[in-house]
Amino acid sequence: MPYHRLRAGHVSAALVLVLTSATACGPAEEAATTSKTASAPATRPSGAASAPASAAATPNGVEKLQAAAILSRARKATASARFLRMRGDIDDGKDKFALDFRYAGKTKATGWFQQGKERVEMTRIGKDVYIKGNDAFWKSIGGKGAVQLFSGKHLKTTTASADFKDLAVFTDRTALLSEAVKSVDSWQKGKAGTAGGVPTVSLTGAPGEEIQVATQGEPYVLLLNGGQGNRIEYLAYEEPVDVRRPPASSVVDGDAFE
């Protein structure tokens, strides 16, 4: 078998981190078991974020607080959620991405992202990450040889892999959301609004940057707007998702290519 050194560094997590500039830190600890609900979504994001499953009609009062206090409560609420979905579109001026991921606790995730014709599905359980790219993706990072080796397969790697860390970060909501805290001092309280039918209060940053925080039920982060073409929704709070490893027959061990 020919040797192929695969690198996925051209897919930079920074494209996501640019947009997630002001939300929660790490998630709650992983539950001992996952639920019966089916795993990752298969469609692109569209429309406004749907209401969190736990959103009740009871006001939570965050709209009466200052911006820093609103953000603090939103971070804690979002971090406490056992289950969460994040989907969106990102445009950094050069590339356009779409992504849709579900998270179960701290170390389980499943979903996909797409850039142009290149699409990658990923599943994470613990430190193990399974990557299933379409042929366009494998060709872009490893040529025809990579397509022959991995077409229709799941490449097993880890969160520590130097070759695939830029991809694996999508499965780590702690890493994605912690980046947001860096600009915490720049946010100001904005106007009341709605996201997915849930009343919200907004936090505004630079022109076009906005966070929508629920003012009913838990004060979850519901929506991030990062300017034209940049939008990430946080939704499906506490809607269980069962994250499972792919069938062993479809897995190729990435250690064989080190």
Side-chain angles (χ1 to χ4, degrees):
M1 179 183 297
Y3 177 82
H4 296 277
R5 182 62 169 172
L6 298 178
R7 297 194 63 85
H10 72 295
V11 184
S12 175
L15 295 178
V16 175
L17 299 180
V18 165
L19 181 57
T20 55
S21 60
T23 97
C25 55
E29 290 300 315
E30 180 178 1
T33 59
T34 55
S35 78
K36 299 178 181 179
T37 302
S39 60
T43 58
R44 287 193 50 159
S46 62
S50 61
S54 62
T58 304
N60 57 41
V62 292
E63 72 279 5
K64 301 175 183 179
L65 304 176
Q66 296 299 314
I70 294 172
L71 186 56
S72 176
R73 286 195 58 184
R75 288 175 55 195
K76 290 178 181 178
T78 303
S80 70
R82 291 173 58 196
F83 303 101
L84 169 64
R85 182 178 182 182
M86 183 177 72
R87 69 182 183 183
D89 291 289
I90 300 168
D91 183 351
D92 73 339
K94 296 180 180 179
D95 298 293
K96 293 182 180 181
F97 283 77
L99 60 97
D100 195 338
F101 279 86
R102 290 184 183 269
Y103 303 90
K106 187 176 182 179
T107 60
K108 290 186 177 181
T110 185
W112 58 265
F113 75 88
Q114 184 164 341
Q115 177 189 11
K117 296 181 179 180
E118 298 178 29
R119 180 184 172 99
V120 180
E121 298 174 10
M122 285 188 288
T123 296
R124 177 187 175 187
I125 297 179
K127 294 182 179 180
D128 294 334
V129 179
Y130 299 87
I131 298 173
K132 184 180 181 182
N134 64 6
D135 288 355
F137 169 78
W138 289 123
K139 185 176 181 180
S140 73
I141 66 171
K144 294 182 179 179
V147 175
Q148 294 173 350
L149 287 170
F150 302 114
S151 181
K153 301 291 186 179
H154 294 84
L155 177 66
K156 181 182 178 182
T157 183
T158 71
T159 55
S161 169
D163 291 331
F164 292 97
K165 64 182 180 180
D166 284 344
L167 299 184
V169 75
F170 287 102
T171 68
D172 185 347
R173 88 186 213 193
T174 299
L176 290 173
L177 300 181
S178 292
E179 182 73 11
V181 184
K182 291 183 178 181
S183 61
V184 62
D185 294 334
S186 67
W187 295 94
Q188 303 294 322
K189 184 163 72 171
K191 299 179 181 180
T194 60
V198 179
T200 63
V201 61
S202 66
L203 297 174
T204 61
E209 293 182 352
E210 182 184 54
I211 308 170
Q212 294 283 350
V213 177
T215 57
Q216 289 185 355
E218 293 293 328
Y220 292 131
V221 172
L222 298 184
L223 180 66
L224 293 178
N225 280 319
Q228 186 174 1
N230 290 283
R231 176 187 177 95
I232 288 184
E233 299 168 290
Y234 291 81
L235 63 162
Y237 282 95
E238 305 303 6
E239 293 183 11
V241 56
D242 188 5
V243 182
R244 301 183 181 185
R245 299 179 190 272
S249 60
S250 71
V251 175
V252 177
D253 193 345
D255 288 343
F257 301 92
E258 293 294 332

